């Protein structure tokens, strides 16, 4: 069933609002694949003193619903996010922050609902382009590796779940990584239909509000080729955080908070 059939059969679901704290200008946080809103535990305290900070679990992850028949396309993720934001009945424009997969989702949302935003903040964005579209041999090879790794993860359920469990135990943020029987379908379909088949570069190019990109130099999911393209866009400002990986650790959280403003 495609996105059109899915939305015709039922309205986009309301996602789980994991937290809604603080007062002031609204900031909405959207996490990445195989995770939940615990992703932002180092960021929320930095923002809540001067903002109303709303953390939302992505479709199929955290405590958000996993609709029967969903294919977890980018369109489905964005429709669910839009339905949830509309349910909050916000009167003023807001800042939208996405981490990893969340950065791709909010980029598409920003194109479709640009009148609702004041700023877009993309944290650790996995921006990929087709390898044959890149001239630099190193960048082209790196993009090819991502595709092979993701295909392996999708095709080897037992390995992927065990590996995620081991990595989750080592993470400084408790429960930040979750790949399990419960969300396996959401993981596989989201990886294939929203990350691997993304249109993030054209989405970011079409955004009309300022875009802040924050990433760590040790991020294993960062594709230099995609970041170079986005960094050349006039409305995009890039912030590099030395010695930080994919997680929002305290140092990277401080840079994200400053980017939010």
């Amino acid at each position: 069933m495609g996105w059109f059939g899915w939305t015709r059969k039922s309205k986009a679901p309301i996602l789980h609002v994991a937290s809604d704290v603080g007062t002031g200008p609204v900031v909405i946080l959207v996490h990445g694949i195989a995770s939940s809103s615990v992703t932002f535990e180092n960021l929320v305290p930095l923002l809540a003193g001067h903002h109303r900070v709303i953390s939302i679990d992505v479709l199929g992850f955290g405590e958000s619903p996993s609709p029967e028949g969903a294919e977890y396309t980018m369109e489905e993720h964005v429709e669910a996010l839009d339905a949830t934001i509309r349910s909050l009945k916000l009167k003023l424009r807001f800042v939208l922050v996405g981490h990893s997969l969340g950065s791709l989702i909010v980029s598409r949302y920003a194109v479709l609902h640009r009148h609702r935003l004041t700023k877009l903040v993309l944290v650790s964005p996995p921006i990929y382009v087709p390898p044959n579209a890149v001239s630099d041999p190193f960048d082209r090879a790196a993009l090819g590796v991502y595709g092979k790794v993701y295909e392996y993860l999708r095709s080897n359920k037992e390995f992927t779940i065990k590996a995620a469990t081991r990595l989750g135990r080592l993470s400084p943020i408790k429960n930040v990584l979750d790949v399990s029987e419960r969300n396996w379908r959401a993981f596989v379909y989201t990886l294939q239909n929203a990350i691997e088949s993304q249109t993030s570069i054209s989405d970011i190019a079409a955004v009309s509000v300022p875009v802040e990109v924050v990433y760590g130099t040790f991020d294993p999911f960062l594709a230099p080729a995609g970041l170079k393209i986005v960094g050349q866009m006039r409305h995009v400002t890039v912030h590099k955080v030395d010695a930080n990986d994919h997680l929002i650790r305290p140092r990277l959280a401080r840079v994200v908070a400053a980017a939010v403003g």
Side-chain angles (χ1 to χ4, degrees):
M1 185 191 311
W3 170 76
F4 182 68
W6 180 75
T7 51
R8 284 190 63 185
K9 286 180 180 291
S10 79
K11 293 174 60 178
I14 302 297
L15 303 174
H16 176 245
V17 177
S19 67
D20 187 342
V21 297
T23 57
V26 172
V27 180
I28 297 177
L29 310 179
V30 181
H31 67 81
I33 191 172
S35 191
S36 70
S37 291
V38 300
T39 292
F40 301 108
E41 70 171 28
N42 291 316
L43 177 61
V44 171
L46 301 180
L47 297 174
H50 304 283
H51 299 83
R52 178 184 174 188
V53 187
I54 302 169
S55 302
I56 298 175
D57 283 342
V58 169
L59 185 70
F61 298 97
E63 296 184 38
S64 279
S66 302
E68 183 178 355
E71 295 181 354
Y72 298 95
T73 62
M74 182 59 68
E75 288 79 8
E76 289 177 11
H77 280 293
V78 172
E79 284 293 315
L81 177 62
D82 179 47
T84 306
I85 291 174
R86 289 181 183 278
S87 74
L88 297 171
K89 301 187 185 305
L90 303 175
K91 298 185 186 308
L92 300 176
R93 297 197 297 168
F94 51 86
V95 176
L96 193 52
V97 179
H99 175 256
S100 192
L101 163 71
S103 67
L104 309 185
I105 295 173
V106 301
S107 295
R108 178 70 63 81
Y109 176 94
V111 174
L112 299 174
H113 307 284
R114 61 191 71 192
H115 63 287
R116 309 196 71 189
L117 304 183
T118 57
K119 183 185 291 186
L120 190 65
V121 181
L122 311 180
V123 187
S124 307
I127 302 170
Y128 304 140
V129 295
N132 58 12
V134 178
S135 59
D136 185 281
F138 177 80
D139 290 345
R140 185 167 60 248
L143 288 165
V145 169
Y146 287 121
K148 292 177 181 178
V149 169
Y150 292 154
E151 182 179 4
Y152 184 85
L153 293 176
R154 287 191 282 105
S155 304
N156 294 272
K157 180 179 181 180
E158 183 177 354
F159 167 83
T160 302
I161 291 177
K162 287 183 177 179
T165 300
R166 288 195 295 268
L167 289 172
R169 290 171 181 159
L170 297 173
S171 174
I173 302 175
K174 187 178 180 181
N175 300 322
V176 73
L177 185 59
D178 176 24
V179 182
S180 61
E181 290 284 351
R182 181 184 62 84
N183 65 18
W184 177 251
R185 189 174 185 276
F187 172 77
V188 168
Y189 276 78
T190 295
L191 188 57
Q192 186 172 23
N193 297 336
I195 294 180
E196 295 179 65
S197 58
Q198 64 178 265
T199 58
S200 55
I201 288 180
S202 59
D203 290 338
I204 295 168
V207 171
S208 58
V209 297
V211 178
E212 307 277 345
V213 175
V214 183
Y215 75 96
T217 56
F218 289 171
D219 190 338
F221 300 104
L222 184 73
L227 190 63
K228 288 176 186 175
I229 295 171
V230 170
Q232 294 172 355
M233 297 178 186
R234 285 186 291 180
H235 64 306
V236 175
T237 302
V238 177
H239 309 271
K240 179 175 67 175
V241 181
D242 291 333
N244 200 101
D245 55 13
H246 196 64
L247 298 178
I248 304 181
R249 299 174 184 269
R251 180 164 48 174
L252 190 137
R254 289 192 291 271
V255 177
V256 174
V260 169

